Amino acid sequence: MDHKDTREGMGRRYFLGIAALLGLGGTGFAISRSGSADARPKRKFAITKTDAQWRRQLTASEYRILRQAGTERPYSSKLNKEKRKGIYICAGCALPLYSSRTKFESGTGWPSFYAPLKNAIGTSTDYKIGVPRTEVHCRRCGGHLGHVFNDGPKPTGKRYCMNGVAMDFRPG
């Protein structure tokens, strides 16, 4: 075998390796996006609705975030700049989720809190970006709210990084 044959063989292997990686990546993307329109955890929640009912109730943005586990663009939510005292509630079922007392400026572009209200949220493991993250959802309707990270301020050290579209604000 001469040098040219070795290069051609390596070229084919390289090409096939890249194609396989792209194929697996595409498969992973397809798996994460496939299935039912409702990408929420498959658990029993106190409030359950059909996909059609959620679509009628929610705006297109709310549906994409709450029911399909989407993410809004950073700095796009009016709640990111909300400074008044009050309660942040689920946009899907109005369950109180976070107090303004626990809100802080994280610099991420999403409303962030260091603690939820008692019995407000649930969590699950999310692998959508290829590494495990802790997804946060509404305890009552299962709507996707965002993720929690271990880089927040005291007293909890947690950063509940929420999609503003997933919540409404009640001043008070």
Side-chain angles (χ1 to χ4, degrees), residues 63-81:
Y63 180 83
R64 187 177 63 77
I65 303 298
L66 288 164
R67 305 317 308 169
Q68 296 181 316
T71 301
E72 68 191 4
R73 285 185 344 271
Y75 300 101
S76 64
S77 171
K78 65 182 187 245
L79 294 184
N80 200 40
K81 296 179 182 175

Side-chain angles (χ1 to χ4, degrees), residues 15-71:
F15 174 77
L16 291 172
I18 294 297
L21 284 174
L22 290 173
L24 289 174
T27 302
F29 179 78
I31 290 168
S32 72
R33 297 289 185 204
S34 67
S36 69
D38 188 339
R40 306 308 330 116
K42 302 303 179 212
R43 299 185 195 136
K44 281 284 192 186
F45 293 102
I47 295 178
T48 57
K49 297 181 182 191
T50 66
D51 187 58
Q53 290 171 320
W54 283 119
R55 284 184 186 273
R56 280 193 301 273
Q57 175 187 328
L58 303 171
T59 67
S61 295
E62 289 170 339
Y63 180 83
R64 187 177 63 77
I65 303 298
L66 288 164
R67 305 317 308 169
Q68 296 181 316
T71 301

Side-chain angles (χ1 to χ4, degrees), residues 94-152:
L95 179 70
L97 302 168
Y98 296 94
S99 167
S100 61
R101 290 187 307 261
T102 65
K103 188 173 188 238
F104 69 99
E105 180 51 57
S106 66
T108 62
W110 289 279
S112 296
F113 306 84
Y114 62 79
L117 294 172
K118 187 175 181 168
N119 203 26
I121 65 161
T123 61
S124 59
T125 303
D126 166 1
Y127 293 95
K128 282 195 331 187
I129 63 169
V131 295
R133 296 182 297 171
T134 303
E135 184 221 3
V136 176
H137 59 267
C138 173
R139 179 217 19 107
R140 187 161 60 187
C141 72
H144 171 77
L145 301 170
H147 294 86
V148 62
F149 303 95
N150 293 318
D151 60 0

